[in-house]
Amino acid sequence: MVPPSGAELASHLEHLLSALVPGLSGDKLKGLHDLLTACSPIDVADDLSTEVRRRGLPSDGLRRVGRQLAEHGTHRAPVKIGLVLLGLGGDIRDRELLLLLGTLDELTLYAAIALHRSQPDGDLAVHALAQQVAGWGRIHAVRTLRDTKEPSIRAWLLREGFRNAIMDEYLAHLAATTGDLHGALNHPHVDTPLLNGGGGILAAMADGQGGPAPGLAEYSHAVPVLHRYADLVHARTPTIAMLRDLISITMFFRHPPQELPWRPADIACLTARYEGLLHEPRWRALVLDHLADPQRPHFHLALQPAEALGLSPTAQCLAHLETGPSLLDPTWAHALCNSDRRHVAHILDLAERRLATTPRPERDHALLLFAHFLRRHPEHGWPLLRSALTSSTPEARRTALTTLAGWPADTLTQEAADHLRTARTSQPANPQETRP
């Protein structure tokens, strides 16, 4: 089936809407639904909206068709187009449905646009949706708010709205500009959530320079905001989160883009200022205090700062691992990546013992991670790799086999060599000839 264009879909809608009296025609609605399964909603949504407006199709009819597709569609494409139609003809009665469907990451973009177009308080409606999602849904919803003037939303963007489960870099620049980070930080009283959010935004723009969204070099108020943030950090009680942001900003100046659109004097001044801030003794004291308690919640958050400050937290890592944290605790990965050879065997022994009492979903995920990190430790970890090779997760099995194949032959136990030989002989000569 040839995918329909926006104009073709509008034509089908026009014919369908003419049959809406006294009610929806089941056969014609099914025909539209089946036609929509062949389309790419993201490719036709704008053209469809333009055509619907040009033809002056009645909003009540668009709403009825949109509700049917969004609520009862059996394929993702018709559901998405149903949301597009609710954006064109929906009203306050559709708010709860749009908020519900929008919590699915794949539908958030369409639901957010529909809310923005159909609700009398469009920005606030999208804001309500944005607070319910964390991944790509958060990114799509917040991008819909890029032109908001609502004070409460702008304040939320600066404090937490930019944070998401994918990469904060996607929304940091938008939050800084739409939320007016420059003006907010220049207020005489900067509350702690705003300071933490401002640091997170600056750090994300620094980390994401050259990435998926504008970075620090593209932020027009970067120089005065960086100076103001340095003033605030210098005057506040230090925290690990603040230190992590400070490290990201300092690293930006240590390894800046080839061309920064700032005056050389500003670059030199900010570089010296952030280096000076980072070398204040209070940061080392903070990290050492955090790592001194192996049972401290979020122990791992101080590990990267410790390395950046030239500290070697191996002893503290081992003490924490002895307490039996979850195998998904980032301390395991940090220890395997940064400990010397004499500690690796002990770390893996601890992991093997922890594995025996780990529930299956966490166990399979952990085995995938260990199979990856064991690539650099061919002398150790065969029991963990053997478990990964029999994991219920295909990705863990594939990763474990790739790791095993990369180990030098003279490091393999007889059992490991037999595993590898069996795996190789069982692979088809031409994988493309096999059927799933």
Side-chain angles (χ1 to χ4, degrees):
M1 180 184 294
V2 178
S5 67
E8 290 171 327
L9 289 177
S11 177
H12 278 275
L13 272 173
E14 192 167 24
H15 287 101
L16 178 61
L17 293 179
S18 66
L20 282 178
V21 180
L24 285 173
S25 166
D27 290 341
K28 290 188 176 181
L29 186 61
K30 183 179 184 303
L32 176 64
H33 179 281
D34 294 344
L35 177 69
L36 291 174
T37 61
C39 83
S40 169
I42 198 69
D43 291 334
V44 303
D46 288 343
D47 289 343
L48 173 61
S49 298
T50 300
E51 279 293 311
V52 164
R53 291 192 184 98
R54 186 182 69 80
R55 295 167 186 251
L57 300 185
S59 59
D60 59 336
L62 292 171
R63 177 179 178 270
R64 292 168 68 187
V65 174
R67 289 282 307 204
Q68 284 291 320
L69 293 173
E71 286 190 283
H72 306 293
T74 59
H75 186 280
R76 65 190 67 186
V79 173
K80 291 175 180 178
I81 294 299
L83 294 175
V84 172
L85 297 180
L86 287 177
L88 297 169
D91 56 36
I92 191 66
R93 292 171 291 175
D94 307 306
R95 188 188 191 97
E96 293 306 315
L97 176 65
L98 294 173
L99 287 172
L100 175 63
L101 294 179
T103 58
L104 301 173
D105 269 2
E106 189 172 350
L107 300 180
T108 309
L109 172 62
Y110 299 88
I113 294 174
L115 283 166
H116 203 254
R117 289 175 171 174
S118 66
Q119 302 304 299
D121 56 346
D123 284 353
L124 292 174
V126 175
H127 179 217
L129 174 59
Q131 294 177 86
Q132 298 181 55
V133 288
W136 284 109
R138 169 67 66 90
I139 294 170
H140 291 315
V142 169
R143 283 176 170 172
T144 307
L145 295 169
R146 67 173 61 251
D147 296 320
T148 187
K149 298 296 188 292
E150 175 60 43
S152 63
I153 298 176
R154 296 171 72 184
W156 174 78
L157 288 174
L158 295 178
R159 288 163 176 80
E160 57 181 292
F162 69 97
R163 301 193 189 276
N164 62 85
I166 308 300
M167 285 172 51
D168 289 353
E169 289 91 321
Y170 276 103
L171 298 175
H173 186 272
L174 183 154
T177 52
T178 299
D180 186 18
L181 180 61
H182 183 212
L185 289 185
N186 277 322
H187 193 274
H189 173 69
V190 174
D191 58 78
T192 298
L194 174 58
L195 179 61
N196 292 340
I201 289 170
L202 292 172
M205 286 195 289
D207 290 337
Q209 189 63 49
L216 202 53
E218 288 76 47
Y219 178 40
S220 60
H221 295 296
V223 170
V225 168
L226 285 166
H227 276 297
R228 175 60 174 160
Y229 180 70
D231 290 339
L232 293 167
V233 169
H234 180 71
R236 294 295 180 94
T237 301
T239 65
I240 292 295
M242 191 184 297
L243 174 57
R244 289 165 65 92
D245 294 337
L246 178 58
I247 289 171
S248 291
I249 297 168
T250 305
M251 293 303 168
F252 173 86
F253 286 108
R254 288 184 186 176
H255 309 286
Q258 289 187 343
E259 293 187 10
L260 276 174
W262 307 337
R263 295 186 310 159
D266 289 329
I267 298 172
C269 181
L270 285 168
T271 300
R273 186 158 197 205
Y274 275 88
E275 288 289 354
L277 266 178
L278 189 58
H279 282 87
E280 291 177 356
R282 59 185 181 140
W283 301 114
R284 292 173 65 91
L286 172 70
V287 169
L288 291 173
D289 178 69
H290 187 97
L291 297 177
D293 179 4
Q295 297 193 21
R296 181 190 290 269
H298 307 299
F299 171 92
H300 67 277
L301 293 179
L303 295 175
Q304 181 265 340
E307 298 289 344
L309 294 176
L311 302 171
S312 179
T314 301
Q316 292 93 331
C317 281
L318 292 176
H320 179 64
L321 296 180
E322 291 280 3
T323 68
S326 162
L327 287 175
L328 301 182
D329 187 312
T331 308
W332 294 101
H334 187 278
L336 287 173
C337 290
N338 295 283
S339 298
D340 56 35
R341 293 164 60 95
R342 61 197 171 93
H343 291 118
V344 168
H346 179 57
I347 293 167
L348 294 175
D349 180 62
L350 291 173
E352 289 166 25
R353 281 186 270 155
R354 183 71 180 84
L355 189 69
T357 59
T358 300
R360 171 154 299 231
E362 179 186 325
R363 183 179 187 273
D364 288 338
H365 189 185
L367 285 171
L368 169 61
L369 298 176
F370 275 95
H372 174 77
F373 285 109
L374 283 170
R375 292 176 185 178
R376 66 184 71 196
H377 300 296
E379 307 90 344
H380 307 287
W382 165 241
L384 281 170
L385 200 60
R386 179 177 55 206
S387 296
L389 286 165
T390 59
S391 167
S392 62
T393 305
E395 188 177 1
R397 298 197 299 270
R398 287 193 297 268
T399 303
L401 186 59
T402 300
T403 293
L404 185 61
W407 281 4
D410 60 359
T411 66
L412 300 180
T413 65
Q414 185 60 50
E415 184 183 11
D418 291 344
H419 250 287
L420 184 59
R421 188 179 306 110
T422 300
R424 283 173 169 167
T425 56
S426 66
Q427 293 297 315
N430 182 0
Q432 293 183 346
E433 295 176 358
T434 63
R435 294 182 180 179

